[in-house]
Structures are given as C-alpha cells and as structure tokens.
Amino acid sequence: MKKEDCVFCKIANGEIPSKTLYEDEKFRVILDLGPATKGHALILPKEHAADLYELPDDTAADALIIAKKLAIKMKEKLNCAGLNLVQNNGEAAGQTVAHFHIHLIPRYEGDGQSINWSPHETDQNELEEIRGQIVE
C-alpha cells in the first residue's frame, strides 16, 4: 500500500518525475539526485515499507534480483570497477527517508568514496555470547 505523505512512494509511483532506469509493476529504479558516484541509483518498491523489518519477503527477494541485473548493466555500460549495495535501516544506521530502498553505487578507481567501518577486537567467548543472544 502506498503511503500518501511518503516522497519515495510518490517517486516510485510516478507522481514525482525522476530519471528512471528500470520499472515494473513492483519497483522503480531511479538515478539518485545527490549521487555518491556516476550512476548512483535507488531501487524503490512501489508499495510502502518503512524499512527492511516491514518489507515482505517476496519484495526483498525481488529487490536483490533487480539489484543484480542493474549491477551487471552498470558494469557493462559505465565501466565501473566495482559496485556497492547499501541498505540502511533506522536513523542510527544512516536511513534518512523512511521508505525501504537500496542504493546501487558504481565504484571507480580513485572515486574518493568510502564505505568503511573500524573493526573492533573480540574473542571467542564474546562471539559465542552474541551468537547465543541472536539464535535463542
């Protein structure tokens, strides 16, 4: 179901113009207006889900299939050296629009972009404790 006050619902459903790369009955893929690199695109479901937690399983699966198809096309047409798939959930993770979306970010040698984190040290006991919390 579309959410009336959601800008990504409006874009995905064609109410707001966009530079569309792909569209089917469930998705629209657009070029990002504030791209990290040349070709940076967003995969937008037409049905509203605020984040991954709300997203139906079949929509999640379909989104990844579309991401793969577009990644192959971007590599071929844009000659990118790599590609990041980025999907943020919640403000703490960097989500700025409460509508599930996947960023497709073509990567080029020396493009100046970075998607990194600082690894923390851990030990086997801590890993086992965390594993236990998640699987129990």
Side-chain angles (χ1 to χ4, degrees), residues 39-135:
H40 180 169
L42 302 175
I43 299 173
L44 305 174
K46 291 182 177 182
E47 294 294 322
H48 186 80
D51 49 34
L52 183 65
Y53 312 115
E54 292 183 5
L55 193 69
D57 290 349
D58 63 325
T59 304
D62 292 342
L64 196 54
I65 291 167
I66 291 168
K68 179 182 176 185
K69 288 178 183 178
L70 267 283
I72 290 167
K73 186 165 275 217
M74 288 175 168
K75 184 174 181 181
E76 175 187 323
K77 302 291 186 178
L78 299 178
N79 297 311
C80 54
L83 185 125
N84 290 115
L85 290 180
V86 178
Q87 203 286 302
N88 302 318
N89 295 280
E91 190 176 326
Q95 185 177 14
T96 58
V97 178
H99 181 109
F100 174 88
H101 57 286
I102 299 174
H103 293 263
L104 292 158
I105 306 173
R107 299 302 303 271
Y108 306 92
E109 295 298 331
D111 65 18
Q113 295 297 330
S114 177
I115 299 175
N116 293 320
W117 55 85
S118 299
H120 296 275
E121 289 190 28
T122 189
D123 61 39
Q124 291 300 314
N125 291 332
E126 183 179 11
L127 291 174
E128 182 56 30
E129 180 182 333
I130 295 166
R131 187 197 68 78
Q133 288 175 317
I134 294 170
V135 299

Side-chain angles (χ1 to χ4, degrees), residues 1-3 6-18 20 22-30 42-49 99-101:
M1 167 173 226
K2 189 176 84 165
K3 188 174 177 189
C6 175
V7 67
F8 277 6
C9 281
K10 291 178 181 180
I11 294 169
N13 288 284
E15 296 172 36
I16 295 175
S18 63
T20 299
Y22 172 87
E23 182 179 13
D24 63 22
E25 64 280 349
K26 291 176 72 172
F27 294 92
R28 182 181 299 260
V29 180
I30 65 167
L42 302 175
I43 299 173
L44 305 174
K46 291 182 177 182
E47 294 294 322
H48 186 80
H99 181 109
F100 174 88
H101 57 286

